[in-house]
Amino acid sequence: SCSSSSSATHAPIHALPPLLECISLCERLSIDSLHAASITVLAKVHWLLGSTKRAKGFVKVALPLLIQHAPLGMQGDAWLLLAKCHLREAGELANQSPPSSRHGSKQTRRKTPYVRTTNNNNNRKIISLLQIALSQVEEAIVLFRQTQDVINLRQAYYIQARLFHSLPSGMGGSYTKKRNAAARKYRELNCHVLTSSSSSLFSGEFDVLALIGDGEEMERLVMERC
């Protein structure tokens, strides 16, 4: 039953019965490492089904055991999924925010769907969520680098670059150099992947990226041809 959970990314709703059976079996047999891994897959299923709160809750439950028992790549997957949950929450919160204040300076406002001004409570929450997501992406990058997971590392660098682009530059200094460095690393890995396989950036895994800033400069940085 545990092997059936691999179908989660193709038909998430159909993965639930065998996945829940697997989790139940792991609980009865006290197989902690596999139980944590199965909970992480369950979180991924809920993420794909759009249930962000449940997905985040399951990852947080599984993460301590994953850190103790799971392979580094699986730990990286969990950190990256947790970052995506916070990104989606930020996007949902941004959709509730009022339009940008007309009193702000054009030079100080960033062209992103997230941070417009730090003068209202929603935007403070959005900034906090983006910062949390950034720290979690950085955890994932450390782990993916150790396992030389080029595919997930490429995705993590892309999200990192987007986050640096979306956060306001006044928060402890400019993120521009960090954004450019992350975008450069993404481009290098993307060229490597595209020359060695048929993989492309905008697969189903990257649906979260629609939530992150789409400024023209950012697009030029990450989508430059190999």
Side-chain angles (χ1 to χ4, degrees):
S1 297
C2 295
S3 61
S4 300
S5 63
S6 63
S7 64
T9 57
H10 302 292
I13 196 69
H14 300 302
L16 283 174
L19 183 54
L20 294 174
E21 182 183 344
C22 175
I23 291 171
S24 177
L25 182 62
C26 291
E27 289 173 347
R28 290 200 303 270
L29 299 177
S30 299
I31 309 174
D32 290 341
S33 58
L34 187 56
H35 181 262
S38 301
I39 290 292
T40 305
V41 176
L42 181 62
K44 179 69 172 294
V45 170
H46 280 289
W47 159 260
L48 293 170
L49 292 173
S51 182
T52 310
K53 187 175 181 179
R54 285 188 177 183
K56 186 170 75 170
F58 284 128
V59 177
K60 287 185 173 180
V61 167
L63 199 51
L65 279 175
L66 290 175
I67 292 172
Q68 291 181 30
H69 302 293
L72 296 179
M74 190 175 294
Q75 295 177 38
D77 286 340
W79 282 113
L80 193 59
L81 179 56
L82 199 53
K84 289 179 177 181
C85 289
H86 285 106
L87 282 171
R88 183 179 280 173
E89 287 180 338
E92 291 169 353
L93 196 57
N95 289 333
Q96 301 171 12
S97 298
S100 303
S101 170
R102 295 182 182 180
H103 302 292
S105 167
K106 291 183 179 179
Q107 285 75 22
T108 59
R109 294 202 303 269
R110 299 288 298 277
K111 293 181 179 180
T112 69
Y114 281 149
V115 182
R116 301 167 175 85
T117 172
T118 56
N119 292 334
N120 65 66
N121 191 47
N122 261 15
N123 282 337
R124 285 193 291 271
K125 290 178 181 178
I126 291 168
I127 291 170
S128 177
L129 288 167
L130 295 181
Q131 290 176 317
I132 291 169
L134 179 60
S135 68
Q136 292 163 345
V137 167
E138 288 171 345
E139 291 279 0
I141 286 173
V142 170
L143 295 163
F144 292 144
R145 288 182 65 182
Q146 291 182 59
T147 58
Q148 299 182 341
D149 186 340
V150 175
I151 299 297
N152 278 322
L153 193 56
R154 175 184 69 154
Q155 180 180 179
Y157 277 132
Y158 186 91
I159 295 175
Q160 185 188 46
R162 292 287 197 174
L163 280 166
F164 283 136
H165 185 70
S166 294
L167 282 164
S169 58
M171 306 205 54
S174 175
Y175 286 124
T176 303
K177 289 184 179 180
K178 292 181 178 180
R179 178 203 65 185
N180 294 350
R184 183 170 58 252
K185 290 173 182 175
Y186 161 75
R187 283 203 312 270
E188 292 170 356
L189 291 173
N190 195 48
C191 290
H192 171 78
V193 170
L194 293 179
T195 54
S196 60
S197 72
S198 59
S199 176
S200 60
L201 169 63
F202 294 103
S203 61
E205 278 296 294
F206 289 80
D207 58 339
V208 68
L209 301 178
L211 298 174
I212 310 177
D214 282 330
E216 291 181 5
E217 183 182 7
M218 188 65 223
E219 287 300 313
R220 178 182 58 78
L221 285 166
V222 299
M223 299 306 291
E224 186 175 288
R225 291 182 180 273
C226 300

